[in-house]
């Protein structure tokens, strides 16, 4: 292998929240970056686009033939109708990507992004049974339910044992970042909610549970997640380890919600006796968004490609405390940190400057 050439990173899910942030970081640091996605190339300048369907093993092999990645970052997943299908499809993606890069013989590290469903359970058993106490620690036993995160890990471990690369797993909380069309995007969703509230003269209503309103929680900035992924891929002390990754601060939504409302130019309204899900609040809001998109020349007139009501409802409607322990990363040398409030403010600034949402 030519060790004088720059490292080549393959980012799987390059147009998603985590993937796009990672592409920007790696390009800035001089890496050669391959951005794999299904429909379009990465919008990050300097990324070499690789188009492939992650559920098509033969198509993946063709698309990656001739490329020699030294690191692989698995940041994509596809939600299915059942956990059985989630396991089949998402574990299959990990297996097929790693099979596709195997002939090159160049891979030295593979990183997998998962999340807190590792501790909380899959959609079909979410928060049921004996959930670990928060803050969640990486050495908790797996829950006794089928879980596609566990299946993805098992595919990663098997390939690492077979092919001799090191691995890392990155368990993020809700990720704050920008990616139009992504189905897990609370920051964009809240910005879209606020724009619709401004347009219709409605208050900015917290959609979630009393537990989330009053309790402590944390989140993960996409830029910090990117730094964590790069750190683990280049730090011997991080090899073959699973890590939580969150900003490093904790907050209560009852503190954060009015501050987000002030930045977004809306009147906040907190928890009031029961959850008020966004899927109900925003029912029929598509035409309002279409008018806003036309009036403000926004990039995306389809509200469903900007806001993911179901996902934000799921996060904010949880009736249990959710926050993570970062001691394992700190002990291994990762000292990255973000202010969650500043992460939201920076995201809103970017969404407005990029024409994704209108300015207040």
């Amino acid at each position: 292998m030519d060790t004088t050439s720059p490292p080549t990173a393959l980012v799987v899910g390059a147009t998603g929240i985590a993937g796009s942030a990672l592409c920007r970081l790696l390009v800035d640091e001089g890496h050669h970056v391959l951005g794999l996605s299904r429909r379009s190339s990465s919008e990050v300048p300097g990324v070499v686009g690789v188009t492939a369907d992650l559920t098509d093993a033969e198509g993946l092999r063709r698309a990656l033939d001739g490329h020699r990645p030294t690191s692989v970052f698995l940041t994509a997943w596809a939600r299915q109708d059942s956990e059985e299908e989630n396991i089949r499809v998402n574990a299959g993606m990990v297996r097929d990507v790693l099979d596709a890069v195997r002939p090159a013989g160049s891979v030295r590290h593979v990183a997998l992004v998962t999340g807190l469903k590792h501790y909380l359970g899959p959609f079909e058993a979410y928060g049921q049974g004996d959930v670990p106490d928060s803050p969640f620690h990486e050495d908790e036993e797996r829950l006794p339910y089928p879980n596609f995160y566990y299946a993805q890990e098992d595919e990663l471990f098997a390939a690492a044992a077979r092919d001799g690369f090191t691995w890392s797993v990155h368990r993020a909380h809700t990720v704050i970042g920008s990616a139009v069309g992504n189905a897990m995007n609370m920051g964009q969703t809240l910005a879209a909610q606020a724009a619709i509230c401004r347009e219709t003269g409605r208050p900015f209503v917290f959609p979630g549970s009393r537990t989330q309103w009053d309790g402590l929680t944390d989140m993960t900035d996409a830029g910090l997640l990117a730094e964590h992924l790069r750190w683990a891929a280049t730090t011997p002390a991080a090899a073959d380890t699973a890590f939580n990754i969150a900003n490093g601060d904790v907050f209560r939504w009852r503190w954060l919600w009015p501050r987000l409302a002030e930045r977004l130019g809306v009147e906040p309204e907190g928890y009031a006796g029961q959850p008020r899900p966004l899927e109900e609040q925003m029912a029929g809001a598509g035409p309002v968004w279409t008018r806003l998109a036309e009036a403000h020349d926004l990039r995306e007139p389809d509200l469903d490609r900007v806001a993911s009501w179901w996902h934000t409802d799921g996060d904010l409607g949880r009736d249990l405390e959710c926050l993570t322990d970062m001691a394992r990363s700190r002990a291994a040398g990762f000292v990255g940190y973000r202010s969650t409030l500043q992460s939201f403010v920076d995201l809103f600034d970017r969404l407005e400057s990029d024409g994704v949402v209108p300015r207040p």
Side-chain angles (χ1 to χ4, degrees), residues 250-324:
V250 296
F251 64 93
R252 302 180 199 275
W253 278 105
R254 70 188 188 202
W255 174 86
L256 185 63
W257 194 256
R259 287 162 174 80
L260 298 185
E262 181 179 12
R263 166 60 183 81
L264 292 166
V266 286
E267 185 65 28
E269 189 172 306
Y271 179 82
Q274 62 183 5
R276 290 176 282 179
L278 288 174
E279 283 201 308
E280 297 176 8
Q281 289 189 47
M282 297 289 117
V288 178
W289 186 261
T290 301
R291 293 198 305 271
L292 284 168
E294 183 176 353
H296 296 273
D297 194 26
L298 302 181
R299 286 174 50 187
E300 180 54 67
D302 182 355
L303 181 58
D304 289 339
R305 286 184 50 77
V306 177
S308 47
W309 311 128
W310 69 269
H311 180 257
T312 296
D313 284 340
D315 269 4
L316 297 183
R318 292 181 292 206
D319 199 24
L320 70 169
E321 185 180 70
C322 296
L323 68 157
T324 57

Side-chain angles (χ1 to χ4, degrees), residues 53-254:
D53 184 340
L54 289 170
T55 64
D56 178 1
E58 181 56 37
L60 275 170
R61 283 192 288 270
R62 290 194 301 269
L64 291 169
D65 184 40
H67 293 296
R68 294 180 55 81
T70 52
S71 54
V72 178
F73 299 92
L74 300 161
T75 74
W77 76 286
R79 187 184 184 191
Q80 306 299 310
D81 291 335
S82 69
E83 194 61 17
E84 181 181 1
E85 280 298 291
N86 276 329
I87 290 169
R88 183 186 67 80
V89 171
N90 291 284
M93 289 180 184
V94 172
R95 180 178 60 252
D96 292 342
V97 168
L98 298 182
D99 283 349
V101 297
R102 189 184 188 199
S106 55
V107 175
R108 300 196 291 265
H109 185 84
V110 177
L112 171 66
V113 176
T114 64
L116 296 198
K117 285 189 291 297
H118 185 94
Y119 308 111
L120 296 169
F123 289 112
E124 294 172 5
Y126 193 73
Q128 299 177 19
D130 293 327
V131 174
D133 286 336
S134 60
F136 303 128
H137 297 83
E138 294 93 339
D139 57 1
E140 300 286 355
E141 296 289 334
R142 288 181 174 182
L143 298 175
Y145 310 108
N147 188 321
F148 81 85
Y149 283 165
Y150 304 163
Q152 287 185 308
E153 286 187 346
D154 290 343
E155 292 290 350
L156 173 64
F157 302 157
R162 178 192 69 196
D163 297 335
F165 55 75
T166 61
W167 57 265
S168 57
V169 175
H170 304 257
R171 298 171 186 161
H173 200 166
T174 302
V175 179
I176 308 168
S178 174
V180 175
N182 187 278
M184 300 175 67
N185 203 334
M186 182 188 286
Q188 269 183 199
T189 296
L190 297 183
Q193 176 193 0
I196 292 166
C197 289
R198 290 196 306 267
E199 179 71 9
T200 58
R202 295 151 61 181
F204 186 57
V205 173
F206 180 75
S209 68
R210 178 184 292 278
T211 301
Q212 292 304 306
W213 180 249
D214 289 334
L216 287 172
T217 191
D218 55 17
M219 297 187 75
T220 305
D221 183 276
L224 184 72
L225 174 56
E227 292 173 14
H228 198 248
L229 287 160
R230 183 257 289 138
W231 164 79
T234 56
T235 302
D240 302 335
T241 309
F243 294 99
N244 295 328
I245 174 60
N247 285 346
D249 65 353
V250 296
F251 64 93
R252 302 180 199 275
W253 278 105
R254 70 188 188 202

